[in-house]
Amino acid sequence: MNTVSNRFIAQKLELAAQLLSLHGADQFRVKAYTKAADAIVGFSQSLQGLATDELATIPGVGKKLAAHIAEIITTGSFPDLDGMIANTPLGLIELSNIRGIGAEKAIRLH
């Protein structure tokens, strides 16, 4: 992948948080991805070119998320995200994006 913006990275982490929520993951884990996405959007320099250990120094980004970010920079995604996408029924993500419909309601409606 050529150039990866911080916004693109944040969007991938936000999608991961959404999918984690849809799959019933622990809310602390969901919040960790959301917090990291927020930190990346507000980060003043490009993350591209930073080593994984440098990424882990960003507030809200731990070692595991730093590794995911490095993978996003390299390939455009990361295996955990790809697996969650593959295991999510078609239309469920879109349904949960409708205002007023959270993860639990989307699952019930789907």
Side-chain angles (χ1 to χ4, degrees):
M1 187 159 250
N2 295 335
T3 303
V4 178
S5 70
N6 290 6
R7 184 70 205 133
F8 177 82
I9 296 166
Q11 288 171 337
K12 292 292 184 176
L13 295 177
E14 289 166 353
L15 176 58
Q18 181 182 16
L19 289 168
L20 284 166
S21 184
L22 287 170
H23 288 277
D26 182 285
Q27 286 305 304
F28 291 108
R29 189 168 174 215
V30 173
K31 287 184 189 278
Y33 279 81
T34 302
K35 183 177 177 183
D38 291 343
I40 289 166
V41 168
F43 200 67
S44 59
Q45 73 182 76
S46 173
L47 300 184
Q48 196 157 355
L50 295 180
T52 303
D53 59 335
E54 293 173 302
L55 293 169
T57 65
I58 299 169
V61 176
K63 290 180 182 180
K64 184 174 182 177
L65 284 171
H68 289 330
I69 293 166
E71 187 76 18
I72 293 168
I73 292 168
T74 304
T75 67
S77 191
F78 58 98
D80 289 355
L81 176 61
D82 296 338
M84 286 187 289
I85 290 170
N87 291 314
T88 302
L90 290 175
L92 189 58
I93 296 170
E94 293 79 6
L95 186 60
S96 70
N97 285 334
I98 297 172
R99 187 180 192 137
I101 297 181
E104 289 180 29
K105 189 180 273 186
I107 291 168
R108 282 194 315 259
L109 292 171
H110 198 270

Short mmCIF file of all heavy atoms in Angstrom, two decimals, residues 1 4-20 30 33-34 36-38 40-41 65 68-69 71-73 75-78 80-82 84-85:
data_model
loop_
_atom_site.label_atom_id
_atom_site.label_comp_id
_atom_site.label_asym_id
_atom_site.label_seq_id
_atom_site.Cartn_x
_atom_site.Cartn_y
_atom_site.Cartn_z
N MET A 1 0.86 -1.16 0.00
CA MET A 1 0.00 0.00 0.00
C MET A 1 0.90 1.23 0.00
O MET A 1 1.89 1.27 0.70
CB MET A 1 -0.91 -0.05 1.22
CG MET A 1 -1.95 1.03 1.23
SD MET A 1 -3.32 0.57 2.31
CE MET A 1 -4.55 0.29 1.07
N VAL A 4 -0.79 5.87 3.41
CA VAL A 4 -1.91 5.57 4.29
C VAL A 4 -2.07 6.75 5.24
O VAL A 4 -1.14 7.09 5.97
CB VAL A 4 -1.67 4.27 5.09
CG1 VAL A 4 -2.81 4.00 6.03
CG2 VAL A 4 -1.47 3.11 4.14
N SER A 5 -3.24 7.35 5.23
CA SER A 5 -3.47 8.51 6.10
C SER A 5 -3.86 8.04 7.50
O SER A 5 -4.33 6.92 7.71
CB SER A 5 -4.59 9.38 5.53
OG SER A 5 -5.84 8.72 5.64
N ASN A 6 -3.65 8.94 8.46
CA ASN A 6 -4.08 8.65 9.83
C ASN A 6 -5.59 8.40 9.86
O ASN A 6 -6.07 7.55 10.61
CB ASN A 6 -3.70 9.79 10.76
CG ASN A 6 -2.21 9.89 10.99
OD1 ASN A 6 -1.42 9.18 10.37
ND2 ASN A 6 -1.81 10.77 11.87
N ARG A 7 -6.33 9.13 9.06
CA ARG A 7 -7.79 8.98 9.02
C ARG A 7 -8.17 7.57 8.56
O ARG A 7 -9.07 6.95 9.10
CB ARG A 7 -8.40 10.05 8.10
CG ARG A 7 -9.90 10.02 8.07
CD ARG A 7 -10.49 10.51 9.40
NE ARG A 7 -11.80 9.93 9.58
CZ ARG A 7 -12.24 9.35 10.70
NH1 ARG A 7 -11.51 9.33 11.77
NH2 ARG A 7 -13.42 8.83 10.78
N PHE A 8 -7.47 7.06 7.54
CA PHE A 8 -7.72 5.71 7.04
C PHE A 8 -7.47 4.68 8.15
O PHE A 8 -8.27 3.77 8.35
CB PHE A 8 -6.83 5.41 5.82
CG PHE A 8 -6.98 4.03 5.28
CD1 PHE A 8 -8.02 3.71 4.42
CD2 PHE A 8 -6.07 3.03 5.63
CE1 PHE A 8 -8.16 2.42 3.92
CE2 PHE A 8 -6.21 1.74 5.13
CZ PHE A 8 -7.25 1.44 4.27
N ILE A 9 -6.37 4.84 8.86
CA ILE A 9 -6.03 3.93 9.96
C ILE A 9 -7.12 3.99 11.03
O ILE A 9 -7.59 2.96 11.52
CB ILE A 9 -4.65 4.28 10.54
CG1 ILE A 9 -3.56 4.05 9.49
CG2 ILE A 9 -4.38 3.47 11.81
CD1 ILE A 9 -2.23 4.67 9.83
N ALA A 10 -7.52 5.20 11.38
CA ALA A 10 -8.56 5.39 12.40
C ALA A 10 -9.87 4.74 11.96
O ALA A 10 -10.56 4.11 12.77
CB ALA A 10 -8.76 6.87 12.69
N GLN A 11 -10.22 4.85 10.69
CA GLN A 11 -11.45 4.24 10.19
C GLN A 11 -11.40 2.72 10.32
O GLN A 11 -12.41 2.09 10.66
CB GLN A 11 -11.69 4.63 8.73
CG GLN A 11 -12.12 6.07 8.57
CD GLN A 11 -12.17 6.52 7.11
OE1 GLN A 11 -11.50 5.95 6.25
NE2 GLN A 11 -12.93 7.57 6.86
N LYS A 12 -10.25 2.12 10.07
CA LYS A 12 -10.11 0.67 10.23
C LYS A 12 -10.28 0.27 11.69
O LYS A 12 -10.94 -0.73 12.00
CB LYS A 12 -8.74 0.19 9.71
CG LYS A 12 -8.58 0.31 8.21
CD LYS A 12 -9.49 -0.64 7.48
CE LYS A 12 -9.26 -0.58 5.99
NZ LYS A 12 -10.06 -1.57 5.27
N LEU A 13 -9.71 1.06 12.60
CA LEU A 13 -9.86 0.76 14.03
C LEU A 13 -11.29 0.98 14.50
O LEU A 13 -11.80 0.21 15.32
CB LEU A 13 -8.88 1.59 14.85
CG LEU A 13 -7.39 1.30 14.61
CD1 LEU A 13 -6.53 2.24 15.43
CD2 LEU A 13 -7.06 -0.15 14.92
N GLU A 14 -11.96 2.01 13.96
CA GLU A 14 -13.37 2.25 14.29
C GLU A 14 -14.24 1.09 13.80
O GLU A 14 -15.16 0.66 14.49
CB GLU A 14 -13.84 3.57 13.69
CG GLU A 14 -13.25 4.78 14.36
CD GLU A 14 -13.44 6.07 13.57
OE1 GLU A 14 -13.92 6.03 12.42
OE2 GLU A 14 -13.08 7.13 14.12
N LEU A 15 -13.95 0.59 12.61
CA LEU A 15 -14.69 -0.57 12.08
C LEU A 15 -14.45 -1.79 12.97
O LEU A 15 -15.38 -2.52 13.27
CB LEU A 15 -14.27 -0.86 10.64
CG LEU A 15 -14.89 -2.09 9.99
CD1 LEU A 15 -16.42 -2.00 9.98
CD2 LEU A 15 -14.36 -2.26 8.57
N ALA A 16 -13.21 -1.97 13.40
CA ALA A 16 -12.90 -3.09 14.30
C ALA A 16 -13.69 -2.96 15.59
O ALA A 16 -14.26 -3.95 16.08
CB ALA A 16 -11.41 -3.16 14.58
N ALA A 17 -13.77 -1.75 16.14
CA ALA A 17 -14.55 -1.54 17.37
C ALA A 17 -16.02 -1.87 17.14
O ALA A 17 -16.66 -2.52 17.98
CB ALA A 17 -14.39 -0.09 17.84
N GLN A 18 -16.56 -1.43 16.02
CA GLN A 18 -17.96 -1.71 15.69
C GLN A 18 -18.19 -3.21 15.57
O GLN A 18 -19.17 -3.74 16.10
CB GLN A 18 -18.32 -1.00 14.38
CG GLN A 18 -19.76 -1.19 13.95
CD GLN A 18 -20.06 -0.50 12.63
OE1 GLN A 18 -19.16 -0.12 11.89
NE2 GLN A 18 -21.33 -0.32 12.34
N LEU A 19 -17.30 -3.90 14.89
CA LEU A 19 -17.45 -5.34 14.71
C LEU A 19 -17.28 -6.09 16.04
O LEU A 19 -17.99 -7.05 16.30
CB LEU A 19 -16.46 -5.85 13.67
CG LEU A 19 -16.77 -5.44 12.23
CD1 LEU A 19 -15.60 -5.73 11.32
CD2 LEU A 19 -18.02 -6.14 11.74
N LEU A 20 -16.34 -5.64 16.85
CA LEU A 20 -16.17 -6.26 18.16
C LEU A 20 -17.47 -6.14 18.96
O LEU A 20 -17.90 -7.09 19.61
CB LEU A 20 -15.02 -5.60 18.92
CG LEU A 20 -13.61 -6.00 18.47
CD1 LEU A 20 -12.58 -5.04 19.04
CD2 LEU A 20 -13.31 -7.42 18.89
N VAL A 30 -13.62 -2.93 23.12
CA VAL A 30 -14.25 -2.05 22.13
C VAL A 30 -13.78 -0.61 22.34
O VAL A 30 -13.38 0.08 21.40
CB VAL A 30 -15.79 -2.14 22.21
CG1 VAL A 30 -16.45 -1.12 21.31
CG2 VAL A 30 -16.27 -3.55 21.87
N TYR A 33 -10.19 0.21 21.13
CA TYR A 33 -10.08 0.48 19.70
C TYR A 33 -10.61 1.88 19.38
O TYR A 33 -10.01 2.60 18.57
CB TYR A 33 -10.83 -0.58 18.88
CG TYR A 33 -10.04 -1.85 18.69
CD1 TYR A 33 -9.98 -2.82 19.69
CD2 TYR A 33 -9.35 -2.08 17.51
CE1 TYR A 33 -9.26 -3.98 19.52
CE2 TYR A 33 -8.63 -3.25 17.32
CZ TYR A 33 -8.58 -4.19 18.34
OH TYR A 33 -7.86 -5.34 18.16
N THR A 34 -11.70 2.25 20.00
CA THR A 34 -12.27 3.58 19.78
C THR A 34 -11.33 4.66 20.27
O THR A 34 -11.11 5.67 19.58
CB THR A 34 -13.64 3.69 20.48
OG1 THR A 34 -14.49 2.66 19.98
CG2 THR A 34 -14.28 5.03 20.24
N ALA A 36 -8.08 4.47 20.63
CA ALA A 36 -6.92 4.51 19.74
C ALA A 36 -7.25 5.25 18.45
O ALA A 36 -6.45 6.06 17.96
CB ALA A 36 -6.43 3.10 19.44
N ALA A 37 -8.43 5.00 17.89
CA ALA A 37 -8.85 5.69 16.66
C ALA A 37 -8.92 7.20 16.90
O ALA A 37 -8.43 7.99 16.07
CB ALA A 37 -10.20 5.16 16.19
N ASP A 38 -9.49 7.60 18.03
CA ASP A 38 -9.57 9.03 18.36
C ASP A 38 -8.18 9.64 18.50
O ASP A 38 -7.92 10.75 18.03
CB ASP A 38 -10.37 9.24 19.64
CG ASP A 38 -11.85 8.93 19.48
OD1 ASP A 38 -12.33 8.86 18.33
OD2 ASP A 38 -12.51 8.75 20.52
N ILE A 40 -5.43 8.65 17.09
CA ILE A 40 -4.76 8.70 15.79
C ILE A 40 -5.28 9.87 14.95
O ILE A 40 -4.50 10.55 14.29
CB ILE A 40 -4.93 7.36 15.06
CG1 ILE A 40 -4.08 6.33 15.77
CG2 ILE A 40 -4.57 7.46 13.59
CD1 ILE A 40 -4.37 4.91 15.39
N VAL A 41 -6.58 10.10 14.99
CA VAL A 41 -7.14 11.24 14.25
C VAL A 41 -6.53 12.54 14.75
O VAL A 41 -6.24 13.45 13.98
CB VAL A 41 -8.69 11.26 14.36
CG1 VAL A 41 -9.25 12.57 13.86
CG2 VAL A 41 -9.28 10.11 13.58
N LEU A 65 -2.40 -2.98 19.63
CA LEU A 65 -2.96 -2.05 18.66
C LEU A 65 -1.87 -1.45 17.77
O LEU A 65 -2.09 -1.21 16.59
CB LEU A 65 -3.75 -0.94 19.36
CG LEU A 65 -5.12 -1.39 19.88
CD1 LEU A 65 -5.75 -0.33 20.76
CD2 LEU A 65 -6.04 -1.73 18.73
N HIS A 68 -1.35 -3.85 15.08
CA HIS A 68 -2.44 -3.75 14.10
C HIS A 68 -2.25 -2.53 13.20
O HIS A 68 -2.46 -2.62 11.98
CB HIS A 68 -3.79 -3.66 14.80
CG HIS A 68 -4.24 -4.92 15.47
ND1 HIS A 68 -3.90 -6.18 15.05
CD2 HIS A 68 -5.03 -5.10 16.55
CE1 HIS A 68 -4.45 -7.09 15.83
NE2 HIS A 68 -5.15 -6.46 16.76
N ILE A 69 -1.86 -1.42 13.78
CA ILE A 69 -1.64 -0.20 13.00
C ILE A 69 -0.52 -0.41 12.00
O ILE A 69 -0.63 -0.02 10.82
CB ILE A 69 -1.35 1.00 13.93
CG1 ILE A 69 -2.59 1.34 14.75
CG2 ILE A 69 -0.87 2.21 13.13
CD1 ILE A 69 -2.33 2.27 15.93
N GLU A 71 0.36 -3.15 10.66
CA GLU A 71 -0.19 -4.03 9.61
C GLU A 71 -1.09 -3.24 8.65
O GLU A 71 -1.05 -3.45 7.44
CB GLU A 71 -0.95 -5.18 10.26
CG GLU A 71 -1.41 -6.24 9.30
CD GLU A 71 -0.31 -7.17 8.82
OE1 GLU A 71 0.74 -7.24 9.46
OE2 GLU A 71 -0.53 -7.82 7.79
N ILE A 72 -1.90 -2.34 9.19
CA ILE A 72 -2.75 -1.50 8.34
C ILE A 72 -1.89 -0.66 7.41
O ILE A 72 -2.19 -0.53 6.22
CB ILE A 72 -3.67 -0.59 9.19
CG1 ILE A 72 -4.69 -1.41 9.96
CG2 ILE A 72 -4.38 0.45 8.31
CD1 ILE A 72 -5.43 -0.65 11.05
N ILE A 73 -0.82 -0.10 7.93
CA ILE A 73 0.08 0.73 7.11
C ILE A 73 0.68 -0.10 5.98
O ILE A 73 0.81 0.36 4.85
CB ILE A 73 1.17 1.37 7.99
CG1 ILE A 73 0.54 2.41 8.92
CG2 ILE A 73 2.27 2.00 7.13
CD1 ILE A 73 1.45 2.91 10.03
N THR A 75 -0.46 -3.31 4.80
CA THR A 75 -1.35 -4.08 3.92
C THR A 75 -2.73 -3.46 3.71
O THR A 75 -3.48 -3.91 2.86
CB THR A 75 -1.57 -5.49 4.49
OG1 THR A 75 -2.32 -5.40 5.72
CG2 THR A 75 -0.26 -6.22 4.73
N GLY A 76 -3.08 -2.47 4.54
CA GLY A 76 -4.40 -1.86 4.43
C GLY A 76 -5.42 -2.45 5.37
O GLY A 76 -6.56 -1.98 5.45
N SER A 77 -5.04 -3.50 6.11
CA SER A 77 -5.95 -4.13 7.06
C SER A 77 -5.11 -4.91 8.07
O SER A 77 -3.89 -4.77 8.10
CB SER A 77 -6.92 -5.06 6.33
OG SER A 77 -7.95 -5.49 7.20
N PHE A 78 -5.78 -5.72 8.90
CA PHE A 78 -5.07 -6.63 9.79
C PHE A 78 -5.92 -7.88 9.97
O PHE A 78 -7.14 -7.84 9.81
CB PHE A 78 -4.69 -5.97 11.13
CG PHE A 78 -5.83 -5.42 11.95
CD1 PHE A 78 -6.37 -6.16 12.99
CD2 PHE A 78 -6.35 -4.16 11.68
CE1 PHE A 78 -7.41 -5.64 13.76
CE2 PHE A 78 -7.38 -3.64 12.44
CZ PHE A 78 -7.92 -4.39 13.48
N ASP A 80 -7.15 -9.80 12.35
CA ASP A 80 -8.31 -9.84 13.24
C ASP A 80 -9.52 -9.16 12.59
O ASP A 80 -10.64 -9.64 12.67
CB ASP A 80 -8.01 -9.17 14.58
CG ASP A 80 -7.07 -9.99 15.45
OD1 ASP A 80 -6.71 -11.12 15.07
OD2 ASP A 80 -6.68 -9.48 16.53
N LEU A 81 -9.27 -8.01 11.96
CA LEU A 81 -10.36 -7.28 11.29
C LEU A 81 -10.91 -8.10 10.13
O LEU A 81 -12.12 -8.23 9.98
CB LEU A 81 -9.87 -5.92 10.81
CG LEU A 81 -10.87 -5.08 10.02
CD1 LEU A 81 -12.11 -4.76 10.86
CD2 LEU A 81 -10.22 -3.79 9.53
N ASP A 82 -10.03 -8.65 9.33
CA ASP A 82 -10.47 -9.46 8.18
C ASP A 82 -11.31 -10.64 8.64
O ASP A 82 -12.32 -10.97 8.02
CB ASP A 82 -9.26 -9.95 7.38
CG ASP A 82 -8.48 -8.82 6.74
OD1 ASP A 82 -9.04 -7.72 6.54
OD2 ASP A 82 -7.28 -9.03 6.44
N MET A 84 -13.11 -10.83 11.44
CA MET A 84 -14.42 -10.36 11.91
C MET A 84 -15.34 -10.01 10.75
O MET A 84 -16.53 -10.30 10.79
CB MET A 84 -14.25 -9.14 12.84
CG MET A 84 -13.71 -9.49 14.20
SD MET A 84 -13.69 -8.10 15.34
CE MET A 84 -12.37 -7.09 14.66
N ILE A 85 -14.78 -9.38 9.71
CA ILE A 85 -15.59 -9.04 8.54
C ILE A 85 -16.14 -10.32 7.91
O ILE A 85 -17.31 -10.40 7.56
CB ILE A 85 -14.77 -8.22 7.52
CG1 ILE A 85 -14.49 -6.82 8.08
CG2 ILE A 85 -15.48 -8.13 6.18
CD1 ILE A 85 -13.49 -6.01 7.27
#
